[in-house]
Structures are given as structure tokens and as C-alpha cells.
Amino acid sequence: MAEICVYGLGYVGLPTASLLATAGFQVLGIDVNQQVVEALQEGRTCLKEAGLATVVSAAFSSGNLVAATRGEASEIFVICVPTPTSADPKTGEHGVDLRAVESVARAIAPLIQPGNLVILESTSPVGTTRNVVGRIIAEGSGLKPGVDFDLCYCPERVLPGNTITELVTNSRTIGGFTPEAAHRAKAMYERFCQGNMTITDDQTAELCKLMENTYRDVNIAVANVFARIAEEVGVDIWKAIEFANLHPRVKILSPGPGVGGHCIPVDPWFLIEAYPEISGLLRESRHVNDTQGKRMLDRLMATGQLAAGDKLAILGCAYKCDIDDPRESPAFLLAEAALEAGLKPAIHDPVVEPGEHHGFTRTHTVSNDLESVLDGAAAAVLVTEHKQYRTLSSRSFSDHMPGRLVGDCRNWLNHSSLTLAGFTVVTIGIGGTEVRETRGAAKRVAHA
Ligand code: SAJ
């Protein structure tokens, strides 16, 4: 019999199950996807995370971790399944999809025994632990949370790309439906986590997780609004932020193409959907961050050097630098805005798996071949500040693309070398560049 069943073997569940197994627990990892389970049984994982393969293989070869598609009776059940949101195409409002959590709770109900502990890790609306997980298990088993079994909400805080290190070193908030439940969960996490453990109730921990990512989204939106103001004024926001951050209590984040990843653009909707009347600031922040790409596109087109029918090269579709994860990438929002404007977007990324990737309203083809993406383009726009792009020279562009227009969403390229070579450079947060026309632009106007 397993000591711990971990439901969901994705970005959080797999490393968590592996760390629990290497800490000595008998762990059963469960995933509904048969292919994921088979691959793990054969020692493969498609998740690329520093140190993950080593921990996973240590866990499986110790015999302490086994993967399966169904759970079994266990002392502890940990739920790490996705809680995505989906957008209403008419209103743009997002609704939270708790079906995976509900389905796991239904699967646990016939397995649970008096005295067991159930932990929800998935990011969830406030109240999900007790009102969804606790209720479904109680209805299916006849056992009461807080009386017959223990129930907790214990979110993770890992930064994708650094998951293993952060799972071990980050502090955690442990939210118990009862204090006893929280102390039990704390004892489990302490077996592999060296960070501080703060004990509270389940609803406080749920709100805490949502506030952390929403706070970051709103703060990035503030940086993006400041960038827009700087573009209007004609000053350099990057310098202005550097100076403002000299204030001991100011820490303005970096503006950019918007916010990607499976957490920050998603989690604010858990609050907005539940409290629409009082969360206007959060909704507006989402809107600002989601329209940064469109704004860059408008500025590029305002130069007169990019028009419907032209090819636009998009550089970078990982949602942030130096990782291969394209989920909710702002590059896809930009590509979709480009298609709407009649342009032909082509996407390059040096590390994201080439091929088809889901965007917001359609799928996109991602290529690892920079030259073919630049070939024939009227303009190129950098979305992700990968280290591979840092050394791009004016020749890297001019050898392949006929256009002389470059957009920079991260202030990452060598602008003086590009400008010297005759390029118009449009940078997020730097105003005035779009009025500077080059020979290419003049030609297009004459042609039109
Ligand atoms: N970004 C900016 N400007 C910045 C910082 C980030 O535009 O100054 C953009 C990035 O380019 C990226 C997006 O925001 O597109 C999100 O990146 P991130 O590094 O801020 O965060 P994630 O999504 O990789 O991980 C976040 C983290 N949460 C916080 O920092 C509050 C992580 O600790 C959470 O565990 C994770 O969400 C999660 O799983 O919830």
C-alpha cells in the first residue's frame, strides 16, 4: 500500500512525488494520461526542468515511486491537477474550470479511510478545499472533513525553470481546515522542504496563493502603463525605472510584451470571476498586459514600413527568457493581432520545441530556424529576451530580411548598431522612434 498518492504528474506533481519518494515515502503517482505513465515507467519524462530528470530517475530506481493511471488506498492524498481558465470569446471574461479537481475528489472518495489526510495543491478559487474537495469526498465516502479525515490547502510557489530548487528551498503556506491537519501536512513537507512553513487556515492559504500571482500581474501592468506614458512623452522608461528604483521603497518591474505562463495571466481571473464588482483594478491590469503586443504592432505599422500582406518575423515564443515553455505566451497574442491586421506572422524560438503550438484562438507553427523566419520579412519583433538573441547584429537581420524595421519588446537588442545600419527601431517604453523614417519607409510610401 502506498503512503502517499499524488494525483497529476505534471510540472508540480511529478517533482513533488519524486521528492517525497526520495525522502523515503512510498509514493504512487497518478495521471489520467496513459502515455505519461508509460513514459515514466520507461524512465522518460517530456518535462524539461533543471535537475528534474535526476530526481525522477532516483525516485523510480529506489522503488519508492510507482506511476499508474488509478489511485489506491493510502494514508495521504495530494492533488496537483490543472485548474485552467477559459475565455468567453464574446466578452473576453475568463471562467475557472475545476473539473480535474472535482474528478480527483470523486476518485478519492471510495479510497479514503478514517484518519487519512487530503491535500489540495492546485491553484483554486477561495473555498475550493472545503466546499469542493471536502464536500465531494464527504458525499462519496460518508466521512466528514475535520472530523473523520484531515484536509489542507498547500500551494507551491515554484518558478518554472527552477522547480526542483524552489520546491526544496521556498517557504510554504500550509492552510489546514483544522490546525491538526495543517501540522500533519507540515510534517510531510518538512521531509524535503527546507523553507519556512507558515501555518494558517485553508481559505487564507487559497487567497494568499491568488494574491501572490495577482500582485505580480498588477505590478507588471503598472510598469507597462508607465512604459506607454514614456512612449507618449518621448522618454526612455528603462532609464526612468532604474532611477525610480533607487528609492528605498520602490521596486518597479520591467515592462514587456505582456504576461505569459500558466499562472500569472490565469490566477487573477479566479478573483475577478468570484468578485467582479470589486476587482476592476485586476481586470484592467489583465487588459493592459494582454494588449501590449497589439500596441507594439500598431506602433510598428504606424512607421509606414509594415502593412497588410507583409511578413512579420516574431522572435521568441517562450513565455519568458531561457525556458522552452510557450504556454500563454504573449508572442501568440501578438501573432494573432498580426493575422487580424492582414500580416503574415512567422515565429522563431531557439529553445521551444519546433512545430504546432496552441495559441489563444488558433495554433501556430514555431521554427528553430532563424534565417527562414527572417527571410522575406518586412519587420522583425523581439518578444522573448533569450540570451541567444542578445548577440544579434544588424547583419543578422539585414542579411535575410528586406525590411529595415525592428521592434524590441524587452529593450534587449543593440539599438545603436541597428540604427546606424539604417533600421527603424521601435522599443516598448521608448518614445519617438516611430516618427523616424528610413529609406525603406520612404520607398513604401512612394510605392503606395
Ligand atoms: N514579466 C514581465 N516583467 C517582469 C517580470 C515578469 O513582463 O518584470 C513577465 C515574464 O516575461 C513572463 C510573465 O511575466 O511572461 C510571468 O513570469 P514570472 O517569472 O513573473 O512568473 P512565472 O509565471 O514563471 O511564475 C510565477 C511565480 N509567481 C510570482 O513570482 C508571484 C512563481 O513563484 C509561482 O509559483 C508561479 O507563478 C506559479 O506556479 O503560480
Side-chain angles (χ1 to χ4, degrees):
M1 180 183 135
E3 290 171 282
I4 305 176
C5 278
V6 176
Y7 285 85
L9 295 176
Y11 281 86
V12 173
L14 180 61
T16 302
S18 303
L19 287 169
L20 286 165
T22 51
F25 287 108
Q26 293 293 314
V27 181
L28 179 65
I30 301 128
D31 202 288
V32 286
N33 187 332
Q34 177 85 37
Q35 283 169 330
V36 167
V37 170
E38 278 168 14
L40 286 169
Q41 282 162 342
E42 289 161 15
R44 289 180 286 116
T45 167
C46 56
L47 304 178
K48 289 186 206 143
E49 273 282 343
L52 178 66
T54 314
V55 178
V56 171
S57 105
F60 276 97
S61 50
S62 71
N64 285 355
L65 178 59
V66 174
T69 51
R70 296 169 76 89
E72 62 179 39
S74 174
E75 199 185 323
I76 303 174
F77 298 89
V78 183
I79 307 172
C80 301
V81 293
T83 47
T85 64
S86 56
D88 180 326
K90 286 205 189 92
T91 62
E93 297 285 299
H94 289 233
V96 181
D97 180 353
L98 285 179
R99 280 177 299 179
V101 168
E102 290 164 353
S103 147
V104 171
R106 279 195 295 275
I108 293 172
L111 303 175
I112 197 163
Q113 301 288 324
N116 287 170
L117 165 66
V118 178
I119 299 171
L120 176 64
E121 280 210 19
S122 314
T123 305
S124 301
V126 179
T128 304
T129 306
R130 56 179 73 181
N131 299 330
V132 178
V133 176
R135 178 184 53 77
I136 291 175
I137 295 176
E139 283 169 4
S141 67
L143 301 179
K144 278 197 178 145
V147 178
D148 303 312
F149 69 94
D150 283 323
L151 181 63
C152 262
Y153 182 67
C154 305
E156 47 68 36
R157 290 173 164 156
V158 296
L159 207 61
N162 200 25
T163 298
I164 295 290
T165 307
E166 295 218 348
L167 272 179
V168 172
T169 58
N170 280 357
S171 62
R172 291 190 88 111
T173 305
I174 314 271
F177 184 58
T178 57
E180 297 72 36
H183 285 287
R184 253 181 104 182
K186 180 171 182 262
M188 183 195 84
Y189 285 110
E190 270 171 355
R191 292 278 291 273
F192 71 83
C193 175
Q194 298 154 7
N196 282 334
M197 311 259 175
T198 316
I199 285 195
T200 182
D201 64 87
D202 52 335
Q203 302 208 90
T204 304
E206 287 164 338
L207 181 57
C208 184
K209 171 70 190 180
L210 295 178
M211 289 195 311
E212 290 164 6
N213 283 347
T214 302
Y215 171 85
R216 196 155 171 84
D217 193 45
V218 172
N219 276 288
I220 295 169
V222 167
N224 285 331
V225 170
F226 291 159
R228 292 178 183 199
I229 293 169
E231 288 158 15
E232 302 288 322
V233 175
V235 302
D236 180 338
I237 196 64
W238 304 88
K239 288 207 171 67
I241 289 176
E242 196 184 313
F243 300 147
N245 283 349
L246 295 174
H247 187 294
R249 284 172 296 282
V250 173
K251 177 75 188 85
I252 301 169
L253 295 176
S254 302
V259 172
H262 59 298
C263 306
I264 296 187
V266 173
D267 296 359
W269 289 107
F270 290 67
L271 296 171
I272 300 168
E273 188 189 24
Y275 307 99
E277 304 294 328
I278 49 177
S279 53
L281 173 68
L282 314 188
R283 182 187 274 102
E284 178 61 18
S285 300
R286 284 279 65 251
H287 178 71
V288 167
N289 290 337
D290 277 354
T291 50
Q292 279 294 95
K294 170 78 171 66
R295 186 176 160 90
M296 167 54 95
L297 189 66
D298 290 345
R299 291 178 71 206
L300 289 171
M301 294 184 82
T303 63
Q305 297 178 65
L306 181 67
D310 284 343
K311 179 177 176 183
L312 173 68
I314 295 176
L315 307 191
C317 81
Y319 80 86
K320 63 180 183 180
C321 61
D322 306 328
I323 65 166
D324 65 353
D325 186 346
R327 285 178 295 174
E328 317 288 331
S329 172
F332 296 141
L333 273 181
L334 174 65
E336 284 162 28
L339 285 165
E340 286 274 301
L343 298 163
K344 296 174 191 145
I347 305 176
H348 172 261
D349 195 286
V351 281
V352 167
E353 185 85 18
E356 301 280 296
H357 289 271
H358 290 296
F360 293 85
T361 57
R362 61 183 78 217
T363 50
H364 300 271
T365 305
V366 176
S367 167
N368 293 148
D369 179 6
L370 182 60
E371 291 180 10
S372 70
V373 167
L374 289 176
D375 190 37
V381 55
L382 179 133
V383 171
T384 313
E385 71 278 39
H386 284 308
K387 58 176 177 298
Q388 288 92 332
Y389 292 145
R390 189 66 164 175
T391 49
L392 287 180
S393 65
S394 53
R395 288 288 301 275
S396 316
F397 293 98
S398 59
D399 281 356
H400 303 285
M401 58 183 243
R404 291 293 175 268
L405 176 62
V406 168
D408 188 350
C409 297
R410 304 278 189 175
N411 197 21
W412 191 240
L413 297 168
N414 186 334
H415 298 171
S416 44
S417 105
L418 283 165
T419 310
L420 268 176
F423 281 85
T424 300
V425 181
V426 176
T427 306
I428 279 187
I430 302 181
T433 42
E434 50 271 69
V435 293
R436 207 185 302 144
E437 290 204 341
T438 65
R439 272 183 295 159
K443 215 158 77 191
R444 176 182 298 287
V445 172
H447 193 68

Coordinates of all heavy atoms in Angstrom, one line a residue, residues 128-195:
T128 N -12.4 26.4 -2.3 CA -12.4 25.1 -3.1 C -12.1 23.9 -2.2 O -12.7 22.9 -2.3 CB -11.4 25.2 -4.3 OG1 -11.7 26.3 -5.1 CG2 -11.4 23.9 -5.1
T129 N -11.1 24.1 -1.3 CA -10.7 23.0 -0.4 C -11.8 22.4 0.3 O -12.1 21.2 0.3 CB -9.5 23.5 0.5 OG1 -8.5 24.1 -0.3 CG2 -9.0 22.3 1.3
R130 N -12.5 23.3 1.0 CA -13.6 22.8 1.9 C -14.9 22.6 1.1 O -15.6 21.6 1.3 CB -13.9 23.7 3.1 CG -14.2 25.2 2.7 CD -14.5 26.0 4.0 NE -13.2 26.2 4.8 CZ -13.2 26.9 5.9 NH1 -14.3 27.4 6.4 NH2 -12.1 27.1 6.5
N131 N -15.3 23.5 0.2 CA -16.6 23.5 -0.5 C -16.6 22.6 -1.7 O -17.7 22.2 -2.2 CB -17.0 24.9 -0.9 CG -17.2 25.8 0.3 OD1 -17.5 25.3 1.4 ND2 -16.9 27.1 0.1
V132 N -15.5 22.2 -2.3 CA -15.5 21.3 -3.4 C -14.8 20.0 -3.1 O -15.5 19.0 -3.0 CB -14.7 22.0 -4.6 CG1 -14.7 21.0 -5.8 CG2 -15.4 23.3 -5.0
V133 N -13.5 20.0 -2.7 CA -12.8 18.8 -2.4 C -13.4 18.1 -1.1 O -13.8 16.9 -1.2 CB -11.3 19.0 -2.2 CG1 -10.6 17.8 -1.8 CG2 -10.7 19.6 -3.5
G134 N -13.5 18.9 -0.1 CA -14.1 18.3 1.2 C -15.5 17.8 1.0 O -15.8 16.7 1.4
R135 N -16.3 18.6 0.3 CA -17.7 18.2 0.1 C -17.9 17.0 -0.7 O -18.6 16.1 -0.4 CB -18.5 19.4 -0.5 CG -19.9 19.1 -0.8 CD -20.6 20.3 -1.5 NE -20.0 20.7 -2.7 CZ -20.0 20.0 -3.9 NH1 -20.7 18.9 -4.0 NH2 -19.4 20.5 -4.9
I136 N -17.1 16.9 -1.8 CA -17.3 15.8 -2.8 C -16.8 14.5 -2.1 O -17.5 13.4 -2.1 CB -16.5 16.0 -4.1 CG1 -17.2 17.1 -4.9 CG2 -16.4 14.7 -4.9 CD1 -16.4 17.5 -6.2
I137 N -15.7 14.6 -1.3 CA -15.2 13.4 -0.6 C -16.2 12.9 0.5 O -16.5 11.8 0.6 CB -13.8 13.6 -0.1 CG1 -12.8 13.8 -1.2 CG2 -13.3 12.4 0.8 CD1 -11.4 14.1 -0.8
A138 N -16.7 13.9 1.2 CA -17.7 13.6 2.2 C -19.0 13.0 1.6 O -19.4 12.0 2.2 CB -18.1 14.9 3.0
E139 N -19.5 13.5 0.5 CA -20.7 12.9 -0.1 C -20.4 11.5 -0.6 O -21.3 10.7 -0.5 CB -21.1 13.8 -1.3 CG -21.8 15.1 -0.9 CD -22.0 16.1 -2.0 OE1 -21.6 15.7 -3.2 OE2 -22.5 17.2 -1.8
G140 N -19.2 11.3 -1.1 CA -18.9 9.9 -1.7 C -18.5 8.9 -0.6 O -18.6 7.7 -0.9
S141 N -18.0 9.4 0.5 CA -17.5 8.4 1.5 C -18.3 8.3 2.8 O -18.1 7.4 3.6 CB -16.0 8.8 1.8 OG -16.0 10.0 2.5
G142 N -19.1 9.4 3.0 CA -19.8 9.4 4.3 C -18.9 9.9 5.5 O -19.3 10.0 6.6
L143 N -17.6 10.2 5.1 CA -16.7 10.7 6.2 C -16.6 12.2 6.2 O -16.7 12.8 5.1 CB -15.2 10.2 5.9 CG -15.1 8.6 5.9 CD1 -13.6 8.3 5.6 CD2 -15.5 8.0 7.2
K144 N -16.5 12.8 7.3 CA -16.5 14.3 7.4 C -15.1 14.9 7.5 O -14.3 14.4 8.4 CB -17.3 14.7 8.7 CG -18.8 14.7 8.6 CD -19.4 15.4 9.7 CE -20.9 15.5 9.6 NZ -21.5 15.5 10.9
P145 N -14.8 15.9 6.7 CA -13.5 16.6 6.9 C -13.4 17.3 8.2 O -14.4 17.8 8.7 CB -13.5 17.6 5.7 CG -15.0 17.8 5.3 CD -15.7 16.6 5.7
G146 N -12.3 17.2 8.8 CA -12.1 17.9 10.1 C -12.5 17.0 11.3 O -12.2 17.3 12.4
V147 N -13.3 15.9 10.9 CA -13.8 15.0 12.0 C -13.2 13.6 11.7 O -12.4 13.1 12.5 CB -15.3 14.9 12.0 CG1 -15.8 13.9 13.0 CG2 -15.9 16.3 12.2
D148 N -13.5 13.1 10.5 CA -13.0 11.7 10.2 C -11.7 11.7 9.3 O -11.0 10.8 9.3 CB -14.1 11.0 9.3 CG -15.4 11.0 10.1 OD1 -15.4 10.6 11.3 OD2 -16.5 11.3 9.5
F149 N -11.5 12.8 8.6 CA -10.3 12.9 7.8 C -9.8 14.3 7.8 O -10.5 15.3 8.0 CB -10.4 12.3 6.4 CG -11.2 13.2 5.4 CD1 -10.7 14.1 4.6 CD2 -12.6 13.0 5.4 CE1 -11.5 14.9 3.7 CE2 -13.4 13.7 4.5 CZ -12.8 14.7 3.7
D150 N -8.5 14.5 7.6 CA -7.8 15.8 7.6 C -7.8 16.4 6.2 O -7.6 15.6 5.2 CB -6.4 15.7 8.2 CG -6.4 15.6 9.7 OD1 -7.3 16.2 10.4 OD2 -5.6 14.8 10.3
L151 N -7.9 17.7 6.1 CA -8.0 18.4 4.8 C -7.2 19.6 4.9 O -7.2 20.4 5.9 CB -9.5 18.7 4.6 CG -9.8 19.4 3.3 CD1 -9.5 18.5 2.1 CD2 -11.3 19.7 3.3
C152 N -6.4 19.9 3.8 CA -5.5 21.0 3.8 C -5.4 21.6 2.4 O -5.6 21.0 1.4 CB -4.1 20.6 4.1 SG -3.6 20.8 5.7
Y153 N -5.0 22.9 2.4 CA -4.6 23.6 1.1 C -3.2 24.0 1.2 O -2.8 24.8 2.1 CB -5.5 24.8 0.8 CG -5.1 25.4 -0.5 CD1 -5.3 24.7 -1.7 CD2 -4.5 26.6 -0.6 CE1 -4.9 25.2 -2.9 CE2 -4.1 27.2 -1.8 CZ -4.3 26.4 -3.0 OH -3.9 26.9 -4.2
C154 N -2.3 23.5 0.4 CA -0.9 23.8 0.5 C -0.3 24.1 -0.9 O 0.2 23.2 -1.6 CB -0.1 22.6 1.1 SG -0.7 22.0 2.6
P155 N -0.4 25.4 -1.3 CA 0.1 25.7 -2.7 C 1.6 25.7 -2.8 O 2.3 25.9 -1.8 CB -0.4 27.1 -2.9 CG -0.5 27.7 -1.5 CD -0.8 26.6 -0.6
E156 N 2.1 25.5 -4.0 CA 3.6 25.6 -4.2 C 3.8 27.0 -4.7 O 2.9 27.7 -5.1 CB 4.1 24.6 -5.2 CG 3.3 24.4 -6.4 CD 3.3 25.5 -7.4 OE1 4.4 26.1 -7.5 OE2 2.3 25.8 -8.1
R157 N 5.1 27.4 -4.8 CA 5.5 28.8 -5.3 C 6.6 28.7 -6.3 O 7.4 29.7 -6.4 CB 5.9 29.6 -4.1 CG 4.8 30.0 -3.1 CD 5.4 30.6 -1.9 NE 4.3 31.3 -1.2 CZ 4.4 31.6 0.1 NH1 5.4 31.3 0.8 NH2 3.4 32.2 0.7
V158 N 6.7 27.6 -7.0 CA 8.0 27.4 -7.8 C 7.9 28.3 -9.1 O 6.9 28.5 -9.7 CB 8.2 26.0 -8.2 CG1 8.4 25.1 -6.9 CG2 7.0 25.4 -9.0
L159 N 9.1 28.7 -9.4 CA 9.3 29.5 -10.7 C 9.7 28.4 -11.7 O 10.7 27.8 -11.6 CB 10.5 30.4 -10.5 CG 10.5 31.7 -11.3 CD1 9.3 32.5 -11.1 CD2 11.7 32.5 -11.1
P160 N 8.8 28.3 -12.8 CA 9.2 27.3 -13.8 C 10.6 27.6 -14.3 O 11.0 28.7 -14.5 CB 8.1 27.6 -14.9 CG 6.9 28.1 -14.1 CD 7.5 28.9 -13.0
G161 N 11.3 26.5 -14.5 CA 12.7 26.6 -14.9 C 13.6 26.3 -13.8 O 14.8 26.0 -13.9
N162 N 13.1 26.5 -12.5 CA 13.9 26.3 -11.3 C 13.1 25.5 -10.3 O 13.3 25.7 -9.1 CB 14.3 27.7 -10.8 CG 15.5 27.7 -9.9 OD1 16.3 26.8 -10.0 ND2 15.5 28.6 -8.9
T163 N 12.3 24.6 -10.8 CA 11.3 24.0 -10.0 C 11.9 23.2 -8.8 O 11.5 23.3 -7.6 CB 10.4 23.0 -10.8 OG1 9.7 23.8 -11.8 CG2 9.4 22.3 -10.0
I164 N 12.8 22.3 -9.1 CA 13.4 21.4 -8.1 C 14.0 22.2 -6.9 O 13.7 22.1 -5.7 CB 14.4 20.4 -8.7 CG1 13.7 19.5 -9.7 CG2 15.1 19.6 -7.6 CD1 12.8 18.5 -9.0
T165 N 14.8 23.2 -7.3 CA 15.5 24.0 -6.3 C 14.4 24.7 -5.4 O 14.5 24.8 -4.2 CB 16.4 25.0 -6.9 OG1 17.3 24.3 -7.8 CG2 17.2 25.8 -5.9
E166 N 13.5 25.3 -6.1 CA 12.5 26.1 -5.4 C 11.5 25.2 -4.5 O 11.1 25.7 -3.5 CB 11.7 27.0 -6.4 CG 12.6 28.0 -7.0 CD 11.9 29.4 -7.2 OE1 10.7 29.5 -7.1 OE2 12.7 30.3 -7.6
L167 N 11.2 24.0 -5.0 CA 10.4 23.1 -4.2 C 11.1 22.8 -2.8 O 10.5 22.7 -1.8 CB 10.1 21.8 -4.9 CG 8.9 21.8 -5.8 CD1 8.7 20.4 -6.4 CD2 7.6 22.1 -5.0
V168 N 12.5 22.7 -2.9 CA 13.2 22.4 -1.7 C 13.5 23.6 -0.9 O 13.4 23.5 0.4 CB 14.6 21.7 -2.2 CG1 15.5 21.5 -1.0 CG2 14.4 20.4 -2.9
T169 N 13.7 24.8 -1.5 CA 14.1 25.9 -0.6 C 13.0 27.0 -0.3 O 13.2 27.7 0.6 CB 15.3 26.7 -1.3 OG1 14.9 27.1 -2.6 CG2 16.5 25.8 -1.4
N170 N 12.0 27.0 -1.1 CA 11.0 28.1 -0.9 C 10.2 27.9 0.4 O 10.1 26.8 0.9 CB 9.9 28.1 -2.0 CG 10.4 28.7 -3.3 OD1 11.5 29.3 -3.3 ND2 9.6 28.7 -4.3
S171 N 9.7 29.0 0.9 CA 8.8 28.9 2.1 C 7.5 28.4 1.6 O 7.2 28.6 0.4 CB 8.7 30.2 2.8 OG 8.2 31.2 1.9
R172 N 6.7 27.9 2.5 CA 5.3 27.4 2.0 C 4.3 27.9 3.0 O 4.6 28.0 4.2 CB 5.3 25.9 2.0 CG 6.1 25.2 1.0 CD 5.8 23.7 0.9 NE 4.6 23.5 0.0 CZ 4.7 22.8 -1.2 NH1 5.9 22.4 -1.6 NH2 3.7 22.7 -1.9
T173 N 3.1 28.1 2.5 CA 1.9 28.4 3.4 C 1.1 27.1 3.5 O 0.7 26.6 2.5 CB 1.1 29.5 2.8 OG1 1.9 30.6 2.6 CG2 0.0 30.0 3.8
I174 N 0.8 26.7 4.7 CA 0.1 25.4 4.9 C -1.3 25.8 5.5 O -1.3 26.3 6.6 CB 0.8 24.5 5.9 CG1 2.3 24.4 5.6 CG2 0.1 23.2 6.0 CD1 2.7 23.3 4.6
G175 N -2.3 25.6 4.7 CA -3.7 26.0 5.2 C -4.5 24.8 5.6 O -5.0 24.1 4.8
G176 N -4.7 24.6 6.9 CA -5.5 23.5 7.4 C -6.9 23.8 7.6 O -7.3 24.9 8.0
F177 N -7.8 22.9 7.2 CA -9.2 23.0 7.5 C -9.3 23.0 9.1 O -10.2 23.6 9.6 CB -10.0 21.9 6.9 CG -11.5 22.0 7.1 CD1 -12.2 23.1 6.7 CD2 -12.2 20.9 7.7 CE1 -13.6 23.1 6.9 CE2 -13.5 21.0 7.9 CZ -14.3 22.1 7.5
T178 N -8.4 22.3 9.7 CA -8.2 22.3 11.1 C -6.7 22.5 11.4 O -5.9 22.1 10.6 CB -8.7 21.0 11.8 OG1 -7.9 19.9 11.2 CG2 -10.1 20.7 11.6
P179 N -6.4 23.0 12.6 CA -4.9 23.1 12.9 C -4.2 21.8 12.9 O -3.1 21.7 12.4 CB -4.9 23.7 14.3 CG -6.2 24.4 14.4 CD -7.2 23.6 13.6
E180 N -4.9 20.7 13.3 CA -4.2 19.4 13.3 C -3.8 19.0 11.9 O -2.8 18.4 11.6 CB -5.2 18.3 13.9 CG -5.6 18.5 15.3 CD -6.6 19.6 15.5 OE1 -7.4 19.9 14.7 OE2 -6.5 20.4 16.6
A181 N -4.8 19.3 10.9 CA -4.5 18.9 9.5 C -3.2 19.6 9.1 O -2.4 19.1 8.4 CB -5.7 19.2 8.7
A182 N -3.1 20.9 9.4 CA -2.0 21.7 8.9 C -0.7 21.2 9.5 O 0.3 21.1 8.8 CB -2.2 23.2 9.3
H183 N -0.7 20.8 10.8 CA 0.5 20.3 11.4 C 0.9 19.0 10.8 O 2.1 18.7 10.6 CB 0.3 20.1 12.9 CG 0.4 21.5 13.6 ND1 1.6 22.2 13.8 CD2 -0.6 22.3 14.1 CE1 1.3 23.3 14.4 NE2 0.0 23.4 14.6
R184 N 0.0 18.1 10.4 CA 0.3 16.9 9.7 C 0.9 17.1 8.3 O 1.9 16.5 8.0 CB -1.0 16.1 9.5 CG -1.1 14.9 10.4 CD -2.4 14.2 10.2 NE -2.2 12.9 9.4 CZ -3.2 12.2 9.0 NH1 -4.4 12.5 9.2 NH2 -2.9 11.0 8.4
A185 N 0.3 18.1 7.6 CA 0.8 18.4 6.2 C 2.2 18.9 6.4 O 3.1 18.6 5.6 CB -0.1 19.3 5.5
K186 N 2.4 19.8 7.4 CA 3.7 20.4 7.6 C 4.8 19.3 7.8 O 5.9 19.3 7.2 CB 3.7 21.3 8.8 CG 5.0 22.0 9.1 CD 4.7 23.1 10.2 CE 6.0 23.9 10.6 NZ 6.6 23.4 11.7
A187 N 4.4 18.3 8.6 CA 5.4 17.2 8.9 C 5.8 16.5 7.6 O 6.9 16.1 7.4 CB 4.8 16.2 9.9
M188 N 4.8 16.4 6.7 CA 5.1 15.7 5.4 C 6.1 16.5 4.5 O 7.1 16.1 4.1 CB 3.8 15.4 4.6 CG 4.0 14.7 3.3 SD 2.6 14.7 2.2 CE 2.9 16.3 1.3
Y189 N 5.7 17.8 4.4 CA 6.6 18.7 3.5 C 8.0 18.9 4.1 O 8.9 19.0 3.4 CB 5.9 20.1 3.3 CG 4.7 20.0 2.3 CD1 3.4 20.1 2.8 CD2 4.9 19.7 1.0 CE1 2.4 20.0 1.9 CE2 3.9 19.6 0.1 CZ 2.6 19.8 0.5 OH 1.5 19.7 -0.3
E190 N 8.1 18.9 5.4 CA 9.4 19.0 6.1 C 10.4 18.0 5.7 O 11.6 18.1 5.8 CB 9.2 19.1 7.6 CG 9.0 20.5 8.1 CD 8.6 20.5 9.6 OE1 8.4 19.4 10.2 OE2 8.5 21.6 10.1
R191 N 9.9 16.8 5.2 CA 10.8 15.7 4.8 C 11.6 16.1 3.6 O 12.7 15.5 3.4 CB 10.0 14.5 4.5 CG 9.3 13.9 5.8 CD 10.3 13.0 6.6 NE 10.6 11.8 5.9 CZ 9.9 10.7 6.0 NH1 8.8 10.6 6.7 NH2 10.3 9.6 5.3
F192 N 11.2 17.1 2.8 CA 12.0 17.5 1.6 C 12.2 19.0 1.5 O 13.1 19.5 0.9 CB 11.5 16.9 0.3 CG 10.3 17.5 -0.2 CD1 10.3 18.7 -0.9 CD2 9.0 16.9 0.0 CE1 9.1 19.3 -1.4 CE2 7.9 17.5 -0.5 CZ 7.9 18.7 -1.2
C193 N 11.3 19.8 2.2 CA 11.4 21.2 2.0 C 12.1 21.9 3.2 O 11.8 21.7 4.3 CB 9.9 21.8 1.9 SG 9.8 23.5 1.9
Q194 N 13.1 22.7 2.8 CA 13.9 23.4 3.9 C 13.4 24.8 4.2 O 13.9 25.4 5.1 CB 15.4 23.4 3.4 CG 16.0 22.1 3.2 CD 17.2 22.1 2.2 OE1 17.6 23.2 1.8 NE2 17.7 21.0 1.8
G195 N 12.5 25.3 3.4 CA 12.0 26.6 3.6 C 11.1 26.7 4.9 O 10.7 25.7 5.5

